[in-house]
Amino acid sequence: MCKVISVVNQKGGVGKTTTTVNVGIGLAREGKKVLLIDADPQGSLTASLGYEEPDDLRITLATIMMDVINEEEISLEDGILHHQENVDLLPANIELSALEVTMGNVMSREMIMKEYIDAIRSRYDYILIDCMPSLGMMTINALVSSDSVLIPVQAAYLPVKGLQQLIKTILTVKKRLNRKLAIEGILLTMVDFRTNYARDIASRVHTTYGSQIEVFENVIPMSVKAAETSAEGKSIYMHCPKGKVAEAYKNLTQEVLKNEK
Ligand SMILES: Nc1ncnc2c1ncn2[C@@H]1O[C@H](COP(=O)(O)OP(=O)(O)OP(=O)(O)O)[C@@H](O)[C@H]1O
Ligand SMILES: [Mg+2]
């Protein structure tokens, strides 16, 4: 059985892409068959897996979704790239933003990505979708396609308001479009444990959301090593295998594995 997880937060720069890469490759290292989908026109996931010029790619998520809209036959191999660390990638580039505009007039526009994912999901154990920093139609499509949502939150401050908006959107999608949608958990990223401030925030997340929503036990420490990986085109496990970020993502991967399918 395949589990589809969207990595979502409408706030930018909170670690969505870094988490998608390192949980995705973490799951692959545990023997799981993994597909990563870039659902951000910035193409950061695509670039951080080593495809430095996403705009040069011919087939991307946008092409596939356009084919779904036009009811064209899709070959499931189309557009899938194979990364050296044993994950597959469906890339994205700037064309995705044009598609988001086009989708405005399409019938059942929230269900386009789901149609594709439902067709391909039997080939994988996990599909992770790296969402863009907005709650627009592309992110709604990802939520509709998913079994659960992983929410990275930057621990530098607690954006309570932003999180409430996000949780409201998730609950609306759950009510109207995707009954089975669950919240995988809130993940604290870029945590600096040298400051008490970070500890405060960690405990505030637990008190504000802990009972209602799972907060992952593992948090991701702030480290320049994490920032370097995106430029290297590989995971933290290859870039700095003995570091604390690799250890944190490894433990987080175990938590994800433990969560029921
Ligand atoms: N644990 C960490 N410690 C230090 N820097 C990090 C860490 N995780 C990610 N970064 C860096 O912070 C920046 C933002 O991370 P990332 O791209 O993963 O966020 P994002 O939420 O996907 O951003 P966007 O909203 O633009 O898609 C990147 O430069 C990344 O390399
Ligand atoms: Mg990103």
Side-chain angles (χ1 to χ4, degrees):
M1 258 256 288
C2 173
K3 186 168 187 178
V4 183
I5 304 175
S6 277
V7 181
V8 182
N9 191 333
Q10 78 277 26
K11 174 142 178 52
V14 297
K16 295 182 287 294
T17 302
T18 308
T19 298
T20 306
V21 168
N22 293 301
V23 171
I25 293 177
L27 289 165
R29 290 163 67 93
E30 295 295 327
K32 301 297 176 190
K33 196 132 181 24
V34 178
L35 171 65
L36 306 180
I37 297 181
D38 193 344
D40 182 350
Q42 296 178 95
S44 316
L45 175 66
T46 304
S48 56
L49 288 172
Y51 301 91
E52 283 162 21
E53 302 291 343
D55 290 349
D56 294 346
L57 293 166
R58 198 171 57 83
I59 305 180
T60 62
L61 177 63
T63 333
I64 303 279
M65 287 178 72
M66 206 58 216
D67 285 351
V68 173
I69 290 170
N70 294 329
E71 294 184 30
E72 275 170 36
E73 190 101 5
I74 298 168
S75 155
L76 292 178
E77 274 81 36
D78 273 0
I80 303 278
L81 303 170
H82 306 284
H83 186 261
Q84 53 172 350
E85 290 183 73
N86 283 325
V87 289
D88 284 357
L89 166 71
L90 181 61
N93 61 24
I94 192 67
E95 282 176 33
L96 205 60
S97 51
L99 179 80
E100 211 183 15
V101 178
T102 311
M103 275 198 302
N105 313 315
V106 172
M107 203 190 289
S108 304
R109 57 186 187 270
E110 297 93 349
M111 320 299 273
I112 309 297
M113 197 189 293
K114 180 180 166 58
E115 204 170 311
Y116 171 70
I117 288 184
D118 282 352
I120 204 167
R121 63 185 291 157
S122 66
R123 297 181 169 210
Y124 294 96
D125 298 312
Y126 285 90
I127 299 177
L128 268 56
I129 309 172
D130 182 27
C131 291
M132 68 167 96
S134 94
L135 294 174
M137 196 41 65
M138 198 55 62
T139 300
I140 301 294
N141 263 265
L143 293 174
V144 169
S145 313
S146 294
D147 300 299
S148 72
V149 191
L150 193 162
I151 307 171
V153 173
Q154 192 180 344
Y157 75 116
L158 180 57
V160 180
K161 253 197 157 152
L163 264 184
Q164 276 166 349
Q165 174 67 37
L166 173 56
I167 289 165
K168 198 171 148 220
T169 303
I170 292 168
L171 294 177
T172 307
V173 169
K174 184 178 165 78
K175 190 169 149 207
R176 302 213 180 124
L177 298 162
N178 180 10
R179 284 274 154 84
K180 69 179 182 193
L181 185 63
I183 296 183
E184 191 78 23
I186 291 177
L187 171 68
L188 288 180
T189 59
M190 304 182 208
V191 175
D192 183 354
F193 278 108
R194 290 169 307 179
T195 62
N196 280 329
Y197 186 58
R199 271 185 225 121
D200 274 5
I201 284 166
S203 71
R204 258 179 75 197
V205 170
H206 279 278
T207 43
T208 314
Y209 298 104
S211 57
Q212 183 193 356
I213 290 162
E214 290 300 320
V215 180
F216 285 103
E217 247 172 62
N218 288 284
V219 304
I220 310 302
M222 171 83 88
S223 161
V224 67
K225 295 286 176 203
E228 285 165 3
T229 52
S230 23
E232 296 254 322
K234 50 191 177 192
S235 73
I236 192 73
Y237 313 109
M238 280 188 86
H239 178 65
C240 183
K242 297 213 171 352
K244 53 191 175 130
V245 177
E247 161 109 37
Y249 273 116
K250 209 167 152 193
N251 293 336
L252 174 66
T253 301
Q254 290 303 326
E255 272 192 83
V256 170
L257 279 169
K258 260 191 247 143
N259 285 352
E260 249 180 75
K261 285 226 167 173

